[in-house]
Amino acid sequence: HGRTGTFLAAIMIREGWVVNDAIEYIHGGYCNKAIETKTQEDLLEQYYNLIHGVVTNESPNQLLHKA
């Protein structure tokens, strides 16, 4: 659930969705238990930031090891 939902949301984000909308859609249309952890949500935020050139303190690689 968690990894699959996170991956699906990442694809949606790549296609132009904002993070919260992608997460809500996955929860409603795929599975309410998908994207299970705060770390997975943080990873999606970092991915969104990476795509849009926003610089943050934590790298996506650091979050991948936590997810």
Side-chain angles (χ1 to χ4, degrees), residues 1-31 33-37 39-49 51-52:
H1 286 96
R3 291 174 292 177
T4 302
T6 303
F7 181 75
L8 292 172
I11 292 171
M12 294 169 70
I13 291 165
R14 184 193 68 198
E15 295 300 313
W17 289 62
V18 295
V19 176
N20 289 337
D21 289 347
I23 291 172
E24 287 179 20
Y25 185 85
I26 293 297
H27 283 165
Y30 169 65
C31 178
K33 295 181 181 180
I35 310 169
E36 299 172 314
T37 67
T39 301
Q40 290 169 339
E41 291 178 10
D42 292 345
L43 178 66
L44 293 170
E45 287 283 346
Q46 285 291 339
Y47 182 60
Y48 179 90
N49 290 341
I51 290 172
H52 292 91

